[in-house]
Amino acid sequence: MKNYFKLLLIMALGVVVNSCTYDRSKDVKNVIYLIGDGMGFGAVSTALMTHDQETGFEMAHAVGFQETSSADNHVTDSPAGGTALATGKRTRNGYLGLDPDGNQLTSILKKAQAMGKRTGIVVNTTLTEATPAAFYAGVKSRSEGYKIAEQFVESGVDVAIGSGLSVFTDRPDSVDLIWALKKKKYEVYFDWKHIVNPSADRFVAILPMSQVHRRNQPQVSRSAENGAVLGYSSRLASEGTTYAGDKTDISNPREYLSVASLSALETLEKGAKNGYFLMIESAIIDGYGHNNDSEGMKLEMYDFNNTLMLLIDYVHNHPNTLLVVTADHETGGTGIAYKQHEVGKKEKVSLNFSTKGHTGTVVPVFAYGPGAECFAGIMKNTDIPKKIESLMKNDFKTRRSKI
Ligand SMILES: [Zn+2]
């Protein structure tokens, strides 16, 4: 994976090839949609203040604000926030992929598939968590994980990388959804080795939670997901089925999101004559907001910036690719309060929090590549997938009117 070496360079030196301009005449063939769960202005501020080098945020070709309300509250939860970003429709808190009356909505990922594009999902949490699920599922509660897993099998995505095996294999109905995926001609990987060098054109990778993130997410039991992978591998072994790679561990889970994103891009490029749509979620920023953990959020934003820098470099080298970066909502009511600093001494940046929950403050939008100009200004969360859809259709009338 040639891009892996760029990642190492970015992590070591903070450098990336970049251009501050882009070709506005290019069509939008490919879209990368990067969502930082709970990534508000406080989180972005820590990234700006703790990096000596220019961050990926500062390299944006256009910057906007978006207002994140759900249909029934100024403060959205992740299911309704994900639904707005995925479908362009607001719903009531708790609902996922459904309108307030319970009708199924069509996500931008599904619309991309209808346009003949290949599609992918990369997350550093479970594949059935609210934000990715908003792109392929429809349930009245995020707790319906078993049903979401069934909907994932039917999603038609070409590449998916994340965690959360238990809802696929340890089910009350005893159905093994991994076999269901294999019947649909997916390669299914459980180890890091295959993600670094994927050979299949279509694959689903489900890793232990310890490999997709170095620390636990509050809502997810990491030990349960680790146990699910090990339990499934020994079950396959007892049935005489070859199972490779369960001993392989990622050396540094902080590289996971970057490497998994590049692996998905390299795979999506194969045979994508109509382009592709890839959604990536950096999910754990939200958890640090809920925990009011300033140091955790800073580290998470450091990792987020590494992924962002790599994607900017990718967009620079693939000029028909639009990258849109935003959040589903802000978490923690983050801010940086006044402290006395000594002149000439570099003080540590620390965040203050005003809540353990989500807030309704606006969140930033950053866009890169062709069509980026459409994301400048103030918008609603629901405007983002609508703009992406019109750009994927190469509706230049819409595009020009926004310049
Ligand atoms: Zn949250």
Side-chain angles (χ1 to χ4, degrees):
M1 172 183 268
K2 62 182 185 309
N3 284 311
Y4 185 67
F5 298 104
K6 277 187 188 161
L7 169 67
L8 296 178
L9 195 67
I10 287 166
M11 289 186 79
L13 304 170
V15 293
V16 65
V17 179
N18 187 47
S19 164
C20 61
T21 59
Y22 62 102
D23 188 346
R24 289 187 179 211
S25 69
K26 290 283 182 199
D27 288 348
V28 177
K29 190 175 171 195
N30 311 312
V31 175
I32 305 169
Y33 198 0
L34 172 61
I35 299 172
D37 199 311
M39 186 183 73
F41 283 99
V44 174
S45 300
T46 60
L48 297 177
M49 295 165 83
T50 54
H51 280 79
D52 293 330
Q53 308 277 345
E54 190 178 29
T55 65
F57 299 108
E58 293 154 273
M59 296 173 186
H61 295 139
V63 178
F65 299 167
Q66 56 116 336
E67 189 258 297
T68 63
S69 298
S70 66
D72 62 352
N73 206 298
H74 296 311
V75 181
T76 188
D77 63 4
S78 280
T83 301
L85 292 180
T87 70
K89 292 275 194 296
R90 284 182 173 166
T91 193
R92 63 182 75 213
N93 280 352
Y95 277 24
L96 182 58
L98 304 177
D99 74 10
D101 298 322
N103 301 307
Q104 180 69 52
L105 296 164
T106 305
S107 77
I108 188 68
L109 180 145
K110 292 283 180 183
K111 288 176 180 174
Q113 287 175 344
M115 291 176 206
K117 294 185 189 296
R118 282 164 62 77
T119 54
I121 291 174
V122 173
V123 293
N124 60 357
T125 180
T126 64
L127 287 166
T128 51
E129 190 256 356
T131 308
F135 287 79
Y136 63 81
V139 290
K140 289 188 176 173
S141 167
R142 71 194 303 170
S143 63
E144 295 181 68
Y146 297 118
K147 191 170 172 189
I148 297 171
E150 290 164 24
Q151 293 170 334
F152 173 83
V153 172
E154 301 299 325
S155 68
V157 296
D158 297 288
V159 179
I161 311 174
S163 183
L165 185 64
S166 57
V167 289
F168 291 86
T169 56
D170 298 330
R171 299 171 54 83
D173 59 9
S174 303
V175 174
D176 182 343
L177 290 182
I178 297 305
W179 285 112
L181 284 168
K182 288 182 174 171
K183 269 193 213 144
K184 286 186 177 291
K185 309 284 181 221
Y186 284 103
E187 289 290 322
V188 184
Y189 303 144
F190 304 99
D191 62 346
W192 184 244
K193 181 179 67 185
H194 282 98
I195 293 173
V196 176
N197 285 303
S199 55
D201 290 351
R202 295 181 91 218
F203 73 84
V204 174
I206 308 180
L207 296 171
M209 188 61 81
S210 58
Q211 297 194 20
V212 306
H213 200 267
R214 68 189 176 285
R215 290 169 71 178
N216 204 357
Q217 186 184 18
Q219 298 93 334
V220 178
S221 166
R222 182 157 72 170
S223 56
E225 292 307 336
N226 290 345
V229 172
L230 292 173
Y232 191 70
S233 68
S234 51
R235 195 194 314 171
L236 288 182
S238 70
E239 290 166 1
T241 309
T242 311
Y243 176 86
D246 55 302
K247 304 246 178 348
T248 313
D249 201 358
I250 175 171
S251 58
N252 181 4
R254 292 186 60 183
E255 295 172 5
Y256 161 79
L257 199 64
S258 301
V259 176
S261 299
L262 287 176
S263 171
L265 286 167
E266 287 180 6
T267 305
L268 287 172
E269 282 172 4
K270 291 179 197 167
K273 64 179 191 307
N274 297 318
Y276 58 78
F277 173 90
L278 171 64
M279 87 69 75
I280 305 167
E281 187 200 15
S282 175
I284 319 293
I285 302 163
D286 179 62
Y288 291 122
H290 284 296
N291 289 347
N292 289 183
D293 181 343
S294 177
E295 287 304 302
M297 191 174 275
K298 256 193 310 197
L299 276 174
E300 198 61 25
M301 290 307 297
Y302 196 87
D303 296 351
F304 187 94
N305 186 55
N306 282 337
T307 301
L308 176 58
M309 297 280 267
L310 211 62
L311 294 175
I312 293 168
D313 187 67
Y314 179 92
V315 167
H316 179 65
N317 292 312
H318 297 77
N320 289 102
T321 306
L322 165 68
L323 167 65
V324 180
V325 182
T326 192
D328 50 353
H329 52 73
E330 197 273 348
T331 306
T334 50
I336 296 163
Y338 178 79
K339 266 202 268 179
Q340 191 73 41
H341 286 192
E342 275 179 48
V343 175
K345 191 176 165 207
K346 200 170 174 187
E347 292 283 352
K348 209 169 92 170
V349 177
S350 61
L351 279 166
N352 305 88
F353 298 88
S354 63
T355 174
K356 294 256 181 188
H358 299 174
T359 72
T361 52
V362 295
V363 297
V365 183
F366 306 90
Y368 310 75
E373 65 275 9
C374 298
F375 296 87
I378 298 175
M379 65 204 91
K380 291 184 167 48
N381 47 5
T382 49
D383 291 330
I384 297 176
K386 290 175 190 163
K387 287 171 189 277
I388 292 173
E389 184 183 359
S390 91
L391 287 164
M392 285 196 304
K393 289 176 177 166
N394 288 311
D395 182 353
F396 277 88
K397 217 167 104 198
T398 307
R399 188 168 161 187
R400 266 195 229 103
S401 71
K402 298 282 180 187
I403 296 173

